[in-house]
Amino acid sequence: MEGNKIRNMEEFASVSGISRPTLSKYFNDPTSVRDSTRKRIEAAVEQYDYRPNLYAMNQNRRLTKNIGIVVPYLADPFFAEIARTLENHVLRTGYRPVLLGSHGRPELEIENLENLRLIKPAGVLLAPLGRVSEREQIEAFCKEVPTVLFDANIDGVGHAFVGSNNGQSIGLIVDYLCRTGEPPAFFEMETPTNPNAYKRRTAYLAAMERLDHKPRLIQAPGEGWEFEEIGFREGSRLLRDKTLPTDTILCSNDRLAIGFLSAAYEAGLRVGLGPGCALRVAGHDDHPFSRYTCPTLTTVSQDYEAIAKKSAEALLELIEAGSPGDSREETLFEGRLIMRGSA
Amino acid sequence: MEGNKIRNMEEFASVSGISRPTLSKYFNDPTSVRDSTRKRIEAAVEQYDYRPNLYAMNQNRRLTKNIGIVVPYLADPFFAEIARTLENHVLRTGYRPVLLGSHGRPELEIENLENLRLIKPAGVLLAPLGRVSEREQIEAFCKEVPTVLFDANIDGVGHAFVGSNNGQSIGLIVDYLCRTGEPPAFFEMETPTNPNAYKRRTAYLAAMERLDHKPRLIQAPGEGWEFEEIGFREGSRLLRDKTLPTDTILCSNDRLAIGFLSAAYEAGLRVGLGPGCALRVAGHDDHPFSRYTCPTLTTVSQDYEAIAKKSAEALLELIEAGSPGDSREETLFEGRLIMRGSA
DNA sequence: GAGTAAATTTTACGCGCGTAAATATTTAAA
DNA sequence: TTTAAATATTTACGCGCGTAAAATTTACTC
């Protein structure tokens, strides 16, 4: 403790014996100064516990070291998990992640982007809600800020997209289900909030056609992000009315499946593969909780780690390239079949 | 579109016909200017799409309009949900929430607080990890920034605490379980990460003593935040070895219970109340997923909404009072019994 | 209409740092 | 040792806004 604290970089320069411009350079990029000076600075930082004023620093910089991470819904464990992974990757590269959730509301998503613009981020990782209505505003944002979309694609928007190959992953699980039992019906929301849902529906239809089976869509009414509730409600209704066209249900995502499984349990139906099982249920995403459902959920995993890694890398390339460039790279990771108890 | 954009408040002052100091006042508190001027400013803001530079604004203010929200683990739906609720409350009061998760790591928690200090927040809502080791640093932080602790208390640290009354809530469910069947054993982690866990253990012991029953603690080994996994692993072991001292298990939290339920299902045991049920399982928290377990989980709800509301209100009072004051208010909300299928 | 309090404008300075340009010093290669 | 290149220092200005003080205008009361 040196008693009185350093109030600004000027003071820190005099006590540390290093000129202010050099300090300024150091704080914006520690590698930009000579090794020996860096060590002197770091020692002085330690000794005097000095941190430059973030606001004064960023005021005159065109860009900051902030990277925005925007997800549609933070209380959805899927997004929470991917956000967590992204944060780690961003931190490791020396940037500061700024996490924003849109609470499922398109207007909040736009507000989040506007707030992000105010903090002049170096770049943004955006998993859009997917409502078409806001396309223009997101597009405008992407023209000003290097942005990588992940999870949900909006054609032509943003400088890159990283996500899952829904065609491949749905094909995989449809194949598996057809190979091991009755062809699946596809259980989804009537008006999905997410563009992946449409891709998965299309992929299901294509897969069923390829295998010469009649596709059957089951569309649950309901809005919002309470997917488990929607899956449970519609599942209960279907099981009560006994209107299921097949004994095998492929859900558009794990959260719907979790609700459906719960409905099946309440209805006293045994779900799974073996004899004595009345129903097979499969999901998609490898949701953090799919390991603990009853029975455990057969699903297709999305490679969280790979998606997060690639998104962060793509954004960093973009940032370091300086100019946006007009190529738009789309990276799709393949799903992996996760065989568990439910199908 | 007025073509060329306004670059700073000076320009905005000239085009809007309002002096810069008045504009400055307005942007720091819209209610501090006369109604008629406010309307003129708002019209001009709309017309010219001007936003003041956030960094320049905050550079000279002692405090900003930022409110930090720090939770131990964002991928835990319990914290995600409470963070979401808090964000909404903060937004409604005109402040900007800054959400930070500590990923379960004490050093990240401290880093989060340090980063928060750099942005000079008006106040902070902190749900501490609860490791005793970092107490001093958190205490030091609280001395500089108005801070309200929530969820987990650290005695004497922070200017207020808002949480659940574990004594009452555990008492409630122990009463219920004893009244409707065998007295429960208490299933918890050997070395809990959270101080609430200790409170709940103590509350369990007290409740059992009060009811003249012999308490039985079952302590699962394991570290980290994978509570479901820990509950599942230890649950499986207990059920395999048939070493359970009773047919009724009260879990220290819902996530452990979710794992335990999964283990019971895998072991082929029927969980619930009725005849033919081998086991009763109860939890604590009313976790977002406890509604969809199989069977649905009997638990004690924490009043998320009330905790979030009170925390935000307490912090705002603190901020508006100006001086910290040395009183420290502790608010505990009572749990509500949520009777579902599992017990 | 005078009188008064509240709000606004004018003027002016400061905040903490980015950064440019010229100069000086250090480092490493020749 | 000489020399050139890399790095650091000195000096100086600007960024966009906060904010204080004095002068002026506005709104409201009697």
Side-chain angles (χ1 to χ4, degrees):
Chain A
M1 287 293 173
E2 298 297 313
N4 31 17
K5 260 196 182 169
I6 273 72
R7 334 175 106 266
N8 56 38
M9 207 180 272
E10 203 76 55
E11 274 186 36
F12 185 63
S14 53
V15 297
S16 67
I18 290 175
S19 74
R20 196 170 67 71
T22 303
L23 290 173
S24 177
K25 268 190 83 181
Y26 166 82
F27 284 114
N28 285 317
D29 178 8
T31 67
S32 68
V33 301
R34 202 187 294 146
D35 255 40
S36 56
T37 15
R38 185 171 66 237
K39 271 169 197 156
R40 282 173 60 205
I41 296 176
E42 271 155 7
V45 164
E46 188 72 18
Q47 186 182 352
Y48 295 99
D49 193 32
Y50 167 74
R51 304 281 133 100
N53 181 311
L54 210 74
Y55 294 110
M57 265 181 85
N58 287 330
Q59 174 178 14
N60 298 315
R61 287 184 68 68
R62 214 170 54 74
L63 303 175
T64 66
K65 283 280 183 183
N66 294 320
I67 286 186
I69 301 175
V70 185
V71 296
Y73 204 79
L74 258 177
D76 181 331
F78 171 79
F79 287 113
E81 188 61 31
I82 215 168
R84 195 178 65 85
T85 316
L86 277 173
E87 270 193 323
N88 282 332
H89 278 281
V90 168
L91 276 171
R92 226 167 289 147
T93 59
Y95 285 83
R96 275 170 45 104
V98 177
L99 184 57
L100 297 171
S102 301
H103 300 196
R105 306 209 306 262
E107 74 278 10
L108 233 180
E109 182 174 66
I110 299 302
E111 202 180 308
N112 279 337
L113 293 183
E114 280 183 4
N115 284 333
L116 271 180
R117 194 154 33 184
L118 292 184
I119 65 171
K120 297 187 275 192
V124 168
L125 295 159
L126 169 65
L129 274 167
R131 293 280 191 210
V132 203
S133 59
E134 321 289 340
R135 185 197 156 107
E136 281 180 27
Q137 299 182 64
I138 295 178
E139 204 167 2
F141 178 84
C142 292
K143 272 179 189 149
E144 293 190 21
V145 181
T147 304
V148 169
L149 298 193
F150 67 97
D151 183 60
N153 199 2
I154 306 180
D155 278 326
V157 175
H159 304 93
F161 170 72
V162 182
S164 286
N165 186 341
N166 289 300
Q168 177 267 345
S169 60
I170 290 289
L172 200 62
I173 192 141
V174 170
D175 279 354
Y176 166 76
L177 291 172
C178 290
R179 200 166 60 232
T180 51
E182 283 187 27
F186 191 69
F187 184 70
E188 61 174 348
M189 285 171 69
E190 207 171 53
T191 51
T193 36
N194 192 291
N196 283 324
Y198 294 101
K199 295 235 172 83
R200 289 176 193 171
R201 176 194 299 167
T202 310
Y204 164 77
L205 295 173
M208 291 294 275
E209 187 167 355
R210 175 166 50 80
L211 297 170
D212 255 337
H213 291 124
K214 185 158 180 284
R216 294 166 196 278
L217 297 179
I218 307 174
Q219 304 190 318
E223 292 278 322
W225 283 78
E226 299 286 325
F227 300 165
E228 293 87 0
E229 175 60 27
I230 290 168
F232 178 81
R233 201 188 316 133
E234 185 68 4
S236 299
R237 202 184 60 76
L238 289 165
L239 295 172
R240 178 165 23 84
D241 299 354
K242 302 190 196 305
T243 50
L244 279 182
T246 155
D247 74 353
T248 302
I249 309 296
L250 171 58
C251 299
S252 181
N253 62 63
D254 282 351
R255 294 184 60 194
L256 282 173
I258 288 168
F260 198 97
L261 280 181
S262 186
Y265 184 91
E266 294 295 305
L269 291 175
R270 191 165 176 81
V271 175
L273 282 163
C277 289
L279 209 59
R280 295 192 303 161
V281 176
H284 190 291
D285 290 346
D286 196 21
H287 187 285
F289 277 53
S290 59
R291 223 175 296 255
Y292 304 105
T293 54
C294 303
T296 54
L297 186 61
T298 289
T299 185
V300 194
S301 76
Q302 292 203 47
D303 194 340
Y304 293 63
E305 179 58 31
I307 292 177
K309 188 153 177 275
K310 176 69 187 172
S311 307
E313 280 171 2
L315 183 59
L316 246 74
E317 272 180 40
L318 216 67
I319 291 171
E320 267 147 34
S323 70
D326 21 80
S327 67
R328 185 176 187 278
E329 190 189 4
E330 294 197 4
T331 311
L332 299 182
F333 287 97
E334 307 227 316
R336 212 157 41 81
L337 190 61
I338 307 288
M339 278 180 281
R340 298 209 184 93
S342 71
Chain B
M1 287 293 173
E2 299 295 313
N4 31 17
K5 261 196 181 167
I6 272 72
R7 333 176 108 266
N8 55 38
M9 208 181 271
E10 203 78 54
E11 275 187 35
F12 184 62
S14 52
V15 297
S16 67
I18 290 174
S19 74
R20 196 170 67 70
T22 303
L23 290 173
S24 177
K25 267 190 87 181
Y26 166 83
F27 284 115
N28 285 318
D29 178 7
T31 67
S32 68
V33 301
R34 204 186 292 147
D35 256 39
S36 54
T37 10
R38 187 172 64 235
K39 272 167 198 158
R40 283 172 59 206
I41 296 175
E42 271 156 7
V45 164
E46 188 73 18
Q47 186 183 351
Y48 295 99
D49 192 34
Y50 168 74
R51 304 279 134 101
N53 180 311
L54 210 75
Y55 293 111
M57 263 182 88
N58 287 331
Q59 174 178 13
N60 297 314
R61 287 184 68 67
R62 213 170 55 75
L63 304 174
T64 66
K65 285 280 182 183
N66 294 319
I67 286 187
I69 302 175
V70 186
V71 296
Y73 204 78
L74 259 177
D76 181 330
F78 171 79
F79 287 112
E81 188 62 31
I82 215 167
R84 195 177 66 84
T85 316
L86 277 173
E87 271 193 324
N88 282 331
H89 278 281
V90 168
L91 276 171
R92 227 168 286 148
T93 59
Y95 285 83
R96 275 170 46 104
V98 176
L99 184 57
L100 297 171
S102 301
H103 300 192
R105 305 209 307 262
E107 74 279 10
L108 233 180
E109 182 174 66
I110 299 303
E111 203 181 308
N112 279 336
L113 293 183
E114 280 183 4
N115 285 333
L116 272 179
R117 193 154 34 183
L118 292 184
I119 65 171
K120 297 187 276 191
V124 168
L125 294 160
L126 169 65
L129 273 167
R131 293 282 191 207
V132 203
S133 59
E134 322 289 339
R135 187 198 154 107
E136 280 180 28
Q137 299 182 66
I138 295 178
E139 204 167 2
F141 178 83
C142 293
K143 273 181 187 145
E144 293 189 22
V145 181
T147 305
V148 169
L149 299 193
F150 67 97
D151 181 63
N153 199 2
I154 306 180
D155 277 326
V157 175
H159 305 94
F161 170 70
V162 182
S164 288
N165 185 340
N166 289 301
Q168 176 268 342
S169 60
I170 290 289
L172 200 62
I173 192 139
V174 170
D175 279 354
Y176 165 77
L177 292 173
C178 290
R179 201 165 62 232
T180 52
E182 284 187 26
F186 190 69
F187 183 70
E188 61 173 348
M189 286 170 69
E190 206 170 54
T191 50
T193 36
N194 191 292
N196 283 324
Y198 294 103
K199 295 235 172 81
R200 290 177 192 169
R201 176 194 299 168
T202 309
Y204 164 78
L205 295 173
M208 291 294 275
E209 186 166 356
R210 172 165 53 77
L211 296 170
D212 256 337
H213 291 126
K214 184 160 182 284
R216 296 169 195 275
L217 298 178
I218 306 174
Q219 304 190 317
E223 291 279 323
W225 284 78
E226 299 286 325
F227 299 166
E228 294 87 1
E229 175 61 27
I230 291 167
F232 178 81
R233 201 188 316 134
E234 185 68 3
S236 298
R237 203 184 60 77
L238 289 165
L239 295 171
R240 178 164 23 85
D241 299 354
K242 301 191 195 305
T243 50
L244 278 182
T246 155
D247 74 353
T248 302
I249 309 295
L250 170 58
C251 299
S252 181
N253 63 63
D254 282 352
R255 294 183 60 194
L256 282 173
I258 288 168
F260 198 97
L261 281 181
S262 185
Y265 184 91
E266 294 294 305
L269 292 175
R270 189 163 176 82
V271 174
L273 283 163
C277 288
L279 211 57
R280 297 194 301 162
V281 175
H284 191 291
D285 291 345
D286 197 21
H287 186 285
F289 277 53
S290 59
R291 222 174 297 254
Y292 304 104
T293 54
C294 302
T296 54
L297 185 61
T298 289
T299 184
V300 194
S301 77
Q302 292 203 48
D303 195 339
Y304 293 63
E305 178 59 31
I307 292 176
K309 187 153 177 277
K310 176 70 186 170
S311 307
E313 280 172 3
L315 184 59
L316 246 74
E317 272 180 39
L318 216 68
I319 291 171
E320 267 147 33
S323 70
D326 23 79
S327 67
R328 185 175 187 280
E329 191 189 3
E330 294 198 3
T331 312
L332 299 182
F333 287 98
E334 306 226 316
R336 212 157 40 81
L337 189 62
I338 307 288
M339 277 179 285
R340 298 208 184 94
S342 71

